[in-house]
Amino acid sequence: MRRVRSIAGDSVNLLLYRELLRCDDSAEEALWRLNPQLAEQGPVLPAGVGIVLPELDSRSLAPTTVSAWD
């Protein structure tokens, strides 16, 4: 597991995207499980908060196509 520090104005989604190039529900859930104290910081994190990043399986970043005619 890798440890990082937040930048002023970070949100959990922004931090996940910047560090892991993912901000989906499973990545966010894994981060909250590793960092339960993070909720005390509020939706916008102050600078310098230590965060443990989850180790996630790599996923295809290709979006799924949705058709109105399916």
Side-chain angles (χ1 to χ4, degrees):
M1 285 181 266
R2 193 167 54 128
R3 296 180 186 271
V4 296
R5 296 236 177 245
S6 64
I7 298 171
D10 269 350
S11 66
V12 168
N13 282 335
L14 180 60
L15 183 109
L16 280 171
Y17 189 75
R18 183 178 63 238
E19 297 295 334
L20 302 176
L21 298 178
R22 285 181 62 175
C23 59
D24 54 272
D25 289 341
S26 61
E28 189 172 338
E29 182 180 347
L31 184 119
W32 286 116
R33 287 181 190 262
L34 288 173
N35 303 281
Q37 77 289 353
L38 201 56
E40 297 170 6
Q41 301 296 328
V44 178
L45 303 172
V49 176
I51 300 165
V52 177
L53 293 175
E55 293 180 12
L56 302 170
D57 296 333
S58 60
R59 276 186 15 178
S60 171
L61 296 177
T64 57
T65 304
V66 176
S67 173
W69 295 276
D70 287 345

